[in-house]
Amino acid sequence: MATFPKRPRSNHVRSIFISDIHLGSRFSRSDQVLRFLQSHQPEHLYLVGDIIDAWALRRRWHWPSSYNELFNHVATMAAAGTKVYYTPGNHDDFLRRFQTQRPPIQIQDRIVHTCADGRRMMIMHGDQFDDVEENAKWLSVIGSIGYDFMVAADRSINRLWRLVSPTPLRISRCVKQTVKKAVQ
C-alpha cells in the first residue's frame, strides 16, 4: 500500500508569477497561495500587482494573521535565496512611491525577466494600459465595490446551489466580464 506525505514536497522551479491576491479583501484566498508557495522553491518570485488591495482596506480593514504568514513565508524564501520582485497594480499603486532595486524585495513598475532560453519578457501589472484606470478611476472603484458585492452574493447562492448540483454557479465572473465589455 502506498503512503503519501502529509505535506507536498518542495519542488524546485525557476520562476513563479503571482498576481491579484487582493490581500485586504474578504474574498482573498491567501491560504491557498501560501500552501502553493510552501510546496515550491523558486529561483525567482514575481508578485505582479494587486497583491495588497488598498481599495478594500480603505473601505473596511481586514487583515487576518494568515496575511502575515504569507508575507513571512515570502521573506523566508528571500532569505533562502529566492529573488523576489514586486510590480504594483492599480489596487496597490501606493507602492510605486517605494520603488527600489535592493533586496530582499525589489519593487519596480516594470521588471525584465530573462527566460531559461535567453528570451526576455517585460513583467508589469498592466493597469497603466487601462483607459478606465487612466481616465475614470472612480468607475474602477465603483466596479470593485460592485464586484465584492457580487462575490458575496455568489457565495451565498452557491451554498444553496450545492444542494442541487456540485458544479458552482459563476455569477460574479459572468457579470464582471459583461460589464468590462460594456465599459470598453
Side-chain angles (χ1 to χ4, degrees), residues 25-27 56 59 141-157 171-173 175-176:
S25 165
R26 293 182 304 143
F27 308 108
R59 288 192 307 271
V141 173
I142 290 172
S144 176
I145 293 167
Y147 183 70
D148 283 354
F149 174 78
M150 288 300 302
V151 171
D154 243 4
R155 287 188 175 182
S156 297
I157 291 166
I171 300 166
S172 58
R173 181 184 301 164
V175 170
K176 182 178 182 177

Side-chain angles (χ1 to χ4, degrees), residues 21-34:
I21 301 173
H22 289 272
L23 300 175
S25 165
R26 293 182 304 143
F27 308 108
S28 176
R29 295 185 172 168
S30 61
D31 54 335
Q32 292 174 350
V33 175
L34 178 59

Side-chain angles (χ1 to χ4, degrees), residues 117-135:
D117 64 3
R119 288 180 298 156
R120 295 166 32 122
M121 297 177 2
M122 176 74 68
I123 308 299
M124 58 191 309
H125 187 69
D127 56 300
Q128 300 94 325
F129 302 111
D130 187 330
D131 286 340
V132 173
E133 280 297 314
E134 291 297 314
N135 301 314

